Amino acid sequence: MTQSTHNRVAELHNLAAHAHQAAAVAHGKGDHLSAHELSKQAQEHSAEAHRHSEKLLEEAKK
């Protein structure tokens, strides 16, 4: 795994964590619509990070 690819996966995980945190803040303020959208965004970032990680694992096996 190249360092730049590893950094991209780490960045995606960080984006997901940030979106989860922002969703929690919005939910705490009673803004449930924004919280829902931010949670959805966090899930998308997490899924993308997972796809990248799986791809890297397959490449490493070759």
Side-chain angles (χ1 to χ4, degrees):
M1 172 172 13
T2 66
Q3 187 61 34
S4 63
T5 306
H6 176 76
N7 288 344
R8 178 64 179 147
V9 171
E11 178 186 1
L12 289 167
H13 281 292
N14 287 337
L15 286 170
H18 177 73
H20 277 294
Q21 192 172 30
V25 169
H27 183 74
K29 292 180 178 179
D31 187 355
H32 301 293
L33 184 58
S34 292
H36 174 74
E37 288 301 315
L38 288 165
S39 292
K40 190 169 138 183
Q41 184 181 50
Q43 193 279 328
E44 290 169 359
H45 287 309
S46 293
E48 187 176 351
H50 179 74
R51 284 191 298 274
H52 278 283
S53 296
E54 289 290 317
K55 183 180 175 185
L56 291 172
L57 180 61
E58 290 302 315
E59 290 175 2
K61 288 181 180 179
K62 291 181 183 179

